[in-house]
Amino acid sequence: MLAMFEQVFILVTFCVIGYILCKVKLVKPDQSKVLSVVLIYILFPLMSFKTFSGQFTVAYLQEKGFLLLVSLGLIPVVVIMAKLISRLLGGEPYERNVNEYSMSMANIGYMGYPLAEAVYGTAGMLDCMMFGLPMTMYINTVGYNMLTAGNGQKSLLQKIFTPSMFGILTGCFVGITGLKLPNTVFEIAKMGSDCVAPISMMLTGMAISQFNIKELLCNKKVYVICAVRLALMPVLVWVLVKLCGFTFALLPAVLLYAMPCGMNTIVFPKLVDKDCRLGAATVLISTIVSMVTIPICLYFLL
């Protein structure tokens, strides 16, 4: 548990660094867009390529391909649970959308995958990325529409075939075919992948820095949302996976669903000038509390 706490603490430390950089005005919040572009268009694809090209083989697909189906089966259950709780919390329709998304979809990209690699190695991250593919599809389609109130400008193909998806598909091709590429290619992918965790968490801190912390902490509903996200959801998926006998999916299911609220509740609404203070509050509080809840969940549920 101590080793897990240390890894989560390291990630949250980079979040704090990003927050401080903006607060002391060494970096302007809008300048974080540069890092976001680098992360989305360069580093995420490199991380995806590195993971899949080295481990994704026909044997792996035969052994772990069922992770996709387990993930697909869990998403409706988690979403229905989040929808019911969001209705109980009340609020106007868009607020309920944000609450539902925050409870159902976790920070799998910025925090989940880097943490999986840090604690469980490349093999563990590959399982998580396989399991996370349906979640990513949901986030970029249904989630995107929920958080932009249907006003986003991306086509369905743009939502699905993201730069990261290109890295996954390219890595799958190289892994399955055994295509021999120069070592330099894999070194570039490794170096880029190593940058994902610190940059993604600094971006989280920069995003939070744009809001008044006291105001974010005063919303009582946020604490309910965070409790559902960090405690109820990982326990729920653990129970479902155990009951169905899919023990091979325990690690990626519990780890990804134990992550804090996803940062897309800030990123997506900004695209259409929606108020994203509620999303910022859930990201802030859940990220801080996750330093304690993630090690506990991983220690006791895995």
Side-chain angles (χ1 to χ4, degrees):
M1 187 182 294
L2 179 60
M4 295 174 191
F5 174 80
E6 287 175 348
Q7 293 302 324
V8 178
F9 180 79
I10 290 170
L11 292 178
V12 174
T13 298
F14 279 107
C15 180
V16 173
I17 290 172
Y19 178 87
I20 293 173
L21 285 174
C22 286
K23 281 301 181 182
V24 299
K25 298 182 179 180
L26 286 174
V27 176
K28 294 180 180 179
D30 56 356
Q31 291 175 333
S32 64
K33 184 177 180 181
V34 177
L35 285 180
S36 181
V37 169
V38 172
L39 188 69
I40 292 171
Y41 287 92
I42 304 297
L43 301 184
F44 271 151
L46 287 175
M47 179 183 73
S48 302
F49 174 80
K50 185 205 79 168
T51 303
F52 280 84
S53 64
Q55 308 259 352
F56 192 83
T57 62
V58 174
Y60 176 84
L61 188 59
Q62 291 173 339
E63 180 184 358
K64 299 290 184 71
F66 203 57
L67 285 172
L68 295 173
L69 296 180
V70 176
S71 182
L72 280 171
L74 286 173
I75 288 174
V77 179
V78 169
V79 168
I80 290 171
M81 177 67 74
K83 190 180 291 291
L84 290 174
I85 297 173
S86 67
R87 288 183 179 179
L88 291 175
L89 291 174
E92 51 92 16
Y94 184 74
E95 180 184 340
R96 292 201 301 269
N97 283 350
V98 175
N99 291 341
E100 178 187 330
Y101 181 93
S102 297
M103 289 184 283
S104 58
M105 292 295 118
N107 188 347
I108 63 174
Y110 291 150
M111 193 167 180
Y113 298 151
L115 182 62
E117 183 175 35
V119 178
Y120 298 103
T122 305
M125 184 166 71
L126 178 59
D127 285 355
C128 286
M129 294 188 78
M130 278 286 289
F131 185 90
L133 277 176
M135 299 169 71
T136 302
M137 296 291 190
Y138 182 91
I139 289 168
N140 288 330
T141 52
V142 178
Y144 182 83
N145 287 334
M146 287 172 60
L147 298 176
T148 60
N151 296 322
Q153 299 300 313
K154 292 184 178 181
S155 67
L156 180 61
L157 286 177
Q158 287 176 314
K159 294 173 188 176
I160 294 176
F161 292 103
T162 60
S164 183
M165 183 60 68
F166 176 77
I168 290 173
L169 294 175
T170 306
C172 287
F173 177 78
V174 172
I176 288 180
T177 62
L179 182 66
K180 299 298 181 182
L181 296 175
N183 287 334
T184 305
V185 173
F186 297 104
E187 283 299 316
I188 291 172
K190 181 181 182 305
M191 292 179 70
S193 179
D194 290 342
C195 298
V196 168
I199 290 180
S200 62
M201 293 310 295
M202 281 194 288
L203 272 174
T204 302
M206 290 176 184
I208 294 171
S209 72
Q210 302 174 53
F211 304 93
N212 185 299
I213 295 294
K214 290 183 179 178
E215 182 181 351
L216 298 183
L217 295 176
C218 289
N219 190 334
K220 295 180 181 179
K221 289 183 182 179
V222 171
Y223 294 93
V224 176
I225 294 168
C226 293
V228 173
R229 165 73 270 135
L230 297 172
L232 177 60
M233 290 308 182
V235 172
L236 174 63
V237 299
W238 178 81
V239 171
L240 292 173
V241 171
K242 290 285 282 187
L243 285 176
C244 294
F246 301 142
T247 53
F248 62 89
L250 272 178
L251 190 153
V254 171
L255 190 148
L256 293 185
Y257 277 104
M259 291 300 109
C261 299
M263 211 175 81
N264 286 327
T265 52
I266 302 174
V267 176
F268 288 165
K270 276 197 168 188
L271 297 175
V272 292
D273 297 320
K274 283 281 188 180
D275 186 354
C276 49
R277 282 175 295 178
L278 176 58
T282 60
V283 171
L284 169 65
I285 296 171
S286 64
T287 301
I288 294 172
V289 177
S290 70
M291 286 194 295
V292 176
T293 58
I294 291 174
I296 291 175
C297 284
L298 300 185
Y299 184 80
F300 287 103
L301 299 182
L302 296 180

